[in-house]
Amino acid sequence: GAADVAAALVGVAALQAAGEDFAIRRAAQVLRALWPQVVENLPYFGPPDSCTALAAYCRQLQHSYHQLDVKGSLSDHPIAELSGRGANKELTKLMEVKMKLLRPVVSSMAQMPLPQVAACLTGLAPAPGVQNPLVEGEAEWIKEAVEAAFPPEEHHAIGKAARWVEFRDEFWAGEVGSLTTVELLELACGFKEVGIARHWVLDSALAELERRLRPMRGERPSVELSHFLLLRLCRAMDLWQGHAVEEVLTHLLSNPDALRPLPTENFVAVLSSLSAFLVPKEVSLRLPGA
């Protein structure tokens, strides 16, 4: 049933997180075996399970296409056994994932709780050194789907301004406040990654992050960042200009000891992303020491 498929997908995510070649190959085998059941049970998945499925297949596809770039052949594909470039079959399988998984999950974003929206956008984020093949050719549609899930403010419309203020104060503030700091960061990065640089959801996430990371009393709380989230924050440096997150990143990136645990591909990706922005001099001077 749907619960068993969802549990198997959680196991796949754990294999992918291990990052070892054997685990990645095993994850691909499980995803290929699960694919017909994922398609069949997707309408019965709750938002967490849908996001887990999307993230698992996105990660595996990105790994497979990275293998294509590095070794010249597709391997560990999550839908079918593919070898070489096999352009026609490869494209057919990619379109199958887009139509049967990507579009249904992203289209349901309006019904998702905010933590799952953040998780869904995280699943779509490009991994180090490779673009997400599911997003290629779908970027504009994904952006429009996210904007449709969170319609723009309508202060200009007669009679709607008061209802908007009530919604913001009584419901939305509680929703944003219930997110963890990591989920807020993922939400903000996700909006930026799909091409939305100005939006009331993004503004509210940034405001809540500012409130938490620059508390009126006491010390700034510590935030544990994954390697991938650190990379996403660096890719979105223009979001953090003058923001408390910028101070957190400056402190972190100025400490070589904090960066030494980064896998090489993540470290290279962080350096590459920072090169697109003006960063404080102390950061650029100390990063090579890591």
Side-chain angles (χ1 to χ4, degrees):
D4 293 331
V5 176
L9 289 169
V10 171
V12 167
L15 286 171
Q16 292 172 328
E20 299 173 357
D21 290 345
F22 172 80
I24 295 297
R25 285 196 298 272
R26 182 59 180 159
Q29 292 169 354
V30 175
L31 287 174
R32 287 196 294 270
L34 284 177
W35 177 241
Q37 298 175 65
V38 169
V39 173
E40 179 182 347
N41 287 280
L42 189 61
Y44 309 106
F45 281 175
D49 300 332
S50 298
C51 293
T52 299
L54 180 61
Y57 282 93
C58 279
R59 288 193 198 102
Q60 200 68 36
L61 278 167
Q62 289 184 86
H63 169 79
S64 185
Y65 277 73
H66 183 61
Q67 295 295 101
L68 178 62
D69 291 338
V70 173
K71 299 180 179 179
S73 63
L74 281 166
S75 60
D76 304 327
H77 197 279
I79 302 300
E81 287 279 9
L82 297 174
S83 60
R85 288 191 172 264
N88 291 334
K89 187 175 183 182
E90 168 196 333
L91 182 60
T92 299
K93 293 302 179 182
L94 186 60
M95 289 303 299
E96 184 178 342
V97 182
K98 288 182 178 182
M99 298 308 296
K100 295 183 178 180
L101 181 60
L102 172 70
R103 283 184 171 256
V105 173
V106 174
S107 296
S108 68
M109 199 174 290
Q111 288 78 49
M112 291 183 185
L114 271 183
Q116 273 65 62
V117 173
C120 181
L121 294 175
T122 295
L124 296 175
V130 61
Q131 292 298 312
N132 189 338
L134 280 185
V135 174
E136 292 181 8
E138 302 287 335
E140 190 60 32
W141 177 84
I142 292 172
K143 178 182 177 182
E144 291 174 358
V146 174
E147 290 175 330
F150 300 95
E153 300 180 39
E154 296 183 305
H155 290 178
H156 61 280
I158 297 175
K160 290 187 176 180
R163 289 200 296 274
W164 164 253
V165 171
E166 182 180 355
F167 165 76
R168 182 193 64 198
D169 293 345
E170 294 187 5
F171 175 76
W172 184 254
E175 283 286 290
V176 173
S178 69
L179 295 178
T180 66
T181 300
V182 166
E183 287 170 339
L184 283 167
L185 292 169
E186 290 176 336
L187 184 66
C189 289
F191 267 69
K192 179 67 164 53
E193 288 159 349
V194 300
I196 303 175
R198 294 294 302 274
H199 196 282
W200 61 268
V201 172
L202 184 55
D203 291 342
S204 62
L206 292 175
E208 179 66 16
L209 283 166
E210 181 76 12
R211 185 189 68 79
R212 294 188 190 184
L213 297 177
R214 281 189 178 140
M216 296 182 64
R217 297 179 182 177
E219 297 181 356
R220 173 185 291 150
S222 61
V223 182
E224 186 172 342
L225 303 177
S226 68
H227 298 156
F228 188 42
L229 181 53
L230 173 61
L231 172 57
R232 295 176 73 197
L233 294 176
C234 291
R235 286 172 174 166
M237 283 294 286
D238 52 333
L239 269 186
W240 320 122
Q241 187 173 4
H243 193 277
V245 173
E246 183 181 47
E247 296 177 7
V248 172
L249 287 174
T250 299
H251 175 75
L252 179 63
L253 296 173
S254 299
N255 180 3
D257 290 335
L259 297 179
R260 287 197 179 99
L262 278 178
T264 300
E265 63 177 0
N266 288 72
F267 184 72
V268 171
V270 166
L271 290 178
S272 300
S273 62
L274 289 178
S275 67
F277 304 101
L278 292 174
V279 298
K281 182 182 293 185
E282 62 268 23
V283 172
S284 57
L285 289 177
R286 293 179 186 176
L287 271 175

